Amino acid sequence: MLQQTQVATVLPYYNKWLRRFPDFSSLALAPESRVLHGWQGLGYYARARKLHALAKIVFRKHGGVLPDKIDNLRALPGVGRYTANAVATFAFDRSVPLVEANIARVMARLFDVRDPIDATRGREKIWRYAADLLPARGAASHNSALMDLGALVCTARAPKCGICPVNKFCRVQNPEALPIKKPQQPPKELTEAHAFTFHRNRLLLEQSSGRWRGLWILPRARSISSSRLVHMSIFPFTNHRITLKIFVNPPPRLRKKTQRWFSTAQLASIPLPSPHRRAIEQLLARRLQKLCSTFPSA
Ligand code: SF4
């Protein structure tokens, strides 16, 4: 959950998730729609799918207990070097290095690394330095202390070098110039047109097979030339900036296999990506308002 997402945002989702899936077996046995529904609002749904796949493997191959060996952890879906080492060091106190954003910044400055830390050469240097500093015992405390050092003292802006406990080993001259990162590509603009089809108090939705695989979205708009635009919003997705346009469409003569009608009460229990959920809530609230205004006030 914490990949690409801040702790404060994650906490309520994390607690809710653990109430819903308290162990690997409950997650492994859950249908995908329930897993995606539990993840709803966090975005990057590939993480939820991989966690689901991971739970199934842990349940079937490891008796429902997370393996403690790095190789076994790395073999699980969605677990790369960082996650495997983080679990190994914090859960099992293994003496393995850890590099996340805070530690990468500390290492880049301590050892004056001038290579971009998000390119292979720079990244490997940082991991090597982190491994060199690792104590034989107490790696969990050591890694935790390095993270805190980066978060509280060796901050991205205005690092507090005057009170830094490793000041005398630090090689950097101008800390704020490090770490170096590859130049960012500007986001690609994309416009997507979807249809709002509300008929006999039910909304037509489509199960996505693309970006939001398994989640329910407003169907793609068929023809927009004569349709009325009722909603427009912008949201980021990886390196894209997507403009979501929603048009009122009449009910289709033939409904696709992937489409289904939902009552408004059902919407709360199905997984919907946040941009579509927000748009649907706004449009339904607007409909209700319009309906109310047609009744004479008492
Ligand atoms: S001395 Fe300054 S730049 Fe070096 S590690 Fe400490 S806070 Fe960071």
Side-chain angles (χ1 to χ4, degrees), residues 2-225:
L2 287 168
Q3 287 167 358
Q4 314 274 343
T5 315
Q6 291 182 339
V7 176
T9 311
V10 160
L11 273 176
Y13 290 97
Y14 177 76
N15 291 326
K16 218 167 82 187
W17 180 270
L18 283 189
R19 277 198 297 277
R20 186 179 278 216
F21 306 116
D23 48 32
F24 286 108
S25 59
S26 52
L27 180 57
L29 298 171
E32 189 184 67
S33 62
R34 196 167 136 74
V35 175
L36 296 174
H37 186 254
W39 199 269
Q40 187 172 259
L42 275 170
Y44 299 104
Y45 288 87
R47 298 177 299 177
R49 282 190 211 98
K50 283 183 180 159
L51 193 52
H52 194 200
L54 177 151
K56 288 179 185 175
I57 295 173
V58 170
F59 181 58
R60 287 185 197 138
K61 272 182 73 177
H62 302 283
V65 179
L66 195 69
D68 62 352
K69 294 207 171 63
I70 293 278
D71 289 349
N72 291 344
L73 286 167
R74 283 291 290 269
L76 295 170
V79 177
R81 175 165 53 173
Y82 168 73
T83 307
N85 286 19
V87 170
T89 191
F90 293 126
F92 307 118
D93 204 10
R94 289 277 157 99
S95 193
V96 287
L98 202 57
V99 175
E100 41 68 87
N102 286 309
I103 298 184
R105 185 168 59 252
V106 172
M107 293 298 140
R109 289 171 176 173
L110 265 181
F111 297 99
D112 200 18
V113 176
R114 307 282 180 94
D115 299 294
I117 60 161
D118 49 355
T120 310
R121 199 178 130 103
R123 191 183 302 123
E124 291 313 311
K125 270 190 188 175
I126 296 285
W127 274 92
R128 254 196 328 273
Y129 283 129
D132 289 347
L133 292 184
L134 203 66
R137 288 167 57 178
S141 306
H142 169 85
N143 284 325
S144 189
L146 277 178
M147 279 185 186
D148 282 351
L149 185 69
L152 304 171
V153 179
C154 193
T155 44
R157 278 185 213 98
K160 303 170 188 70
C161 300
I163 58 155
C164 178
V166 290
N167 186 312
K168 65 176 174 184
F169 312 107
C170 188
R171 295 186 193 160
V172 72
Q173 293 293 322
N174 177 13
E176 286 199 59
L178 293 184
I180 294 168
K181 289 195 181 160
K182 287 191 289 191
Q184 290 258 316
Q185 295 292 330
K188 290 184 192 131
E189 298 285 342
L190 213 61
T191 298
E192 295 181 348
H194 289 262
F196 183 73
T197 307
F198 196 72
H199 185 62
R200 295 186 179 151
N201 275 327
R202 290 180 313 158
L203 182 67
L204 186 65
L205 295 177
E206 183 171 295
Q207 196 158 35
S208 170
S209 54
R211 175 195 309 140
W212 288 309
R213 186 161 54 84
L215 279 84
W216 292 91
I217 58 170
L218 291 164
R220 288 276 182 175
R222 280 161 288 155
S223 150
I224 55 169
S225 52

